[in-house]
């Protein structure tokens, strides 16, 4: 039973720590995780995916590449480049699921970067964990899991001690009968 307990609590801890790594390790390499909120790039990037975007050299962006750009000061969009106007330094973009091109060209200066990979559905959890209440819950779950790991050791070490004492008593009792 102790092995199962240790296995389960260890797996939970590894999953929780892996999610932290998924969120923060890419940032060390200049890759920013973002949550896909709309279906305009379906089926390439599904709603709820965690999309990782890396800064891009706008001179290397080609027609067919997806780019992430600022639509306004606070809104980011990821759409595919369908045309490049080198003279005006703009891109014409279109969402894969959209029938028409975007109405406004994207200036090279608006480009944040290019998506490098995504993890489907992970954005939902990332969204919850990025909120204050989610961070608190996440930390509490890690602490509870650690406590449960040590509690298991205490529970089963106590049982071993009890078994050891009972065996001692049994041996002493058996030797008295001889």
């Amino acid at each position: 039973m102790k092995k199962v307990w240790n296995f389960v609590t260890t797996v939970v801890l590894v999953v929780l720590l892996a999610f932290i790594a998924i969120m923060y390790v890419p940032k060390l390499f200049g890759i920013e995780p973002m949550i896909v909120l709309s279906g305009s790039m379906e089926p390439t990037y599904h709603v709820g995916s965690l999309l990782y975007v890396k800064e891009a050299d706008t001179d290397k962006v080609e027609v067919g590449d997806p780019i992430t750009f600022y639509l306004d000061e606070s809104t980011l969009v990821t759409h595919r480049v369908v045309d490049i106007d080198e003279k005006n330094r703009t891109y014409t973009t279109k969402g894969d699921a959209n029938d028409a091109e975007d109405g406004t060209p994207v200036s090279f200066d608006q480009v944040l970067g290019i998506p490098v990979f995504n993890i489907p559905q992970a954005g939902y959890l990332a969204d919850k964990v990025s909120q204050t209440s989610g961070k608190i819950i996440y930390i509490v779950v890690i602490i509870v899991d650690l406590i449960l790991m040590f509690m298991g050791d205490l529970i089963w070490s106590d049982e071993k001690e009890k078994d050891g004492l009972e065996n001692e008593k049994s041996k002493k009792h058996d030797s008295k009968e001889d």
Side-chain angles (χ1 to χ4, degrees):
M1 186 65 174
K2 180 181 178 181
K3 287 181 182 182
V4 172
W5 182 273
N6 285 340
F7 177 77
V8 170
T9 55
T10 301
V11 167
V12 169
L13 185 62
V14 167
V15 168
L16 292 169
L17 295 177
F19 188 74
I20 290 172
I22 287 170
M23 289 296 297
Y24 296 104
V25 170
K27 290 182 178 190
L28 299 173
F29 302 98
I31 299 172
E32 196 66 36
M34 299 177 183
I35 302 166
V36 177
L37 300 175
S38 81
S40 67
M41 284 297 287
E42 296 273 355
T44 307
Y45 307 119
H46 297 286
V47 174
S49 293
L50 196 56
L51 183 66
Y52 293 86
V53 177
K54 178 178 139 183
E55 188 176 319
D57 179 359
T58 53
D59 293 332
K60 294 183 180 178
V61 173
E62 299 176 355
V63 170
D65 290 345
I67 59 172
T68 300
F69 57 93
Y70 286 96
L71 189 59
D72 56 41
E73 290 178 16
S74 62
T75 306
L76 286 165
V77 175
T78 299
H79 279 176
R80 196 169 302 281
V81 174
V82 293
D83 190 36
I84 301 173
D85 182 346
E86 295 285 345
K87 180 181 172 200
N88 293 316
R89 298 186 50 80
T90 60
Y91 300 109
T92 302
T93 57
K94 176 184 170 298
D96 289 356
N98 297 345
D99 293 332
E101 296 174 349
D102 298 337
T104 307
V106 177
S107 165
F108 285 16
D109 296 337
Q110 290 174 268
V111 176
L112 175 69
I114 57 168
V116 288
F117 64 96
N118 77 94
I119 302 174
Q121 306 300 314
Y124 293 119
L125 183 57
D127 180 46
K128 298 298 180 208
V129 172
S130 67
Q131 298 168 15
T132 304
S133 60
K135 288 177 185 172
I136 292 168
I137 291 169
Y138 202 80
I139 291 168
V140 167
V141 169
I142 289 174
I143 291 169
V144 167
D145 187 62
L146 288 170
I147 291 169
L148 290 174
M149 287 176 86
F150 293 115
M151 294 272 301
D153 289 339
L154 291 173
I155 291 168
W156 281 282
S157 66
D158 285 350
E159 283 182 9
K160 274 187 177 179
E161 287 175 14
K162 286 178 186 175
D163 288 345
L165 289 174
E166 287 175 12
N167 287 339
E168 281 288 320
K169 287 179 184 177
S170 176
K171 285 180 185 177
K172 286 181 183 178
H173 180 48
D174 290 342
S175 62
K176 284 182 183 178
E177 288 179 0
D178 291 340

